[in-house]
Amino acid sequence: HGDLAQAAKVLAAAGNHDEAMLLLGNVYQQLGKTAQARKVFEAFLKAHPDHRKAGWVRNLLTTL
C-alpha cells in the first residue's frame, strides 16, 4: 500500500484537476478508504458537474 499512499499524496496535491481527482478517488477505494473516496468524488462533481465522467461518478457514489 506504500505506493498507493504515495500516489494519493501526489494526486491530492493536484487540487481540483479533474483526472487527478478521479484517480485519487480510485486510489482511496483501493486502499479501502471509502469515506475519503466519497469525499473526493463529491468534490469532483461540485468542481466539474458537466464533466464527461460525471454520470459515472454519480453512479459510483451510489455504491460507496
Side-chain angles (χ1 to χ4, degrees):
H1 284 340
D3 289 342
L4 283 177
Q6 184 60 33
K9 285 182 186 176
V10 172
L11 292 168
N16 282 345
H17 183 274
D18 57 351
E19 295 299 326
M21 292 178 86
L22 292 173
L23 287 170
L24 180 58
N26 285 322
V27 167
Y28 282 145
Q29 277 186 290
Q30 289 178 38
L31 290 171
K33 297 182 177 186
T34 307
Q36 285 171 290
R38 173 177 286 285
K39 196 172 176 182
V40 169
F41 288 134
E42 287 172 347
F44 169 84
L45 289 174
K46 194 171 190 179
H48 309 284
D50 298 322
H51 192 279
R52 60 186 168 82
K53 293 185 180 174
W56 174 79
V57 171
R58 283 186 196 91
N59 287 338
L60 181 63
L61 280 170
T62 65
T63 67
L64 289 180

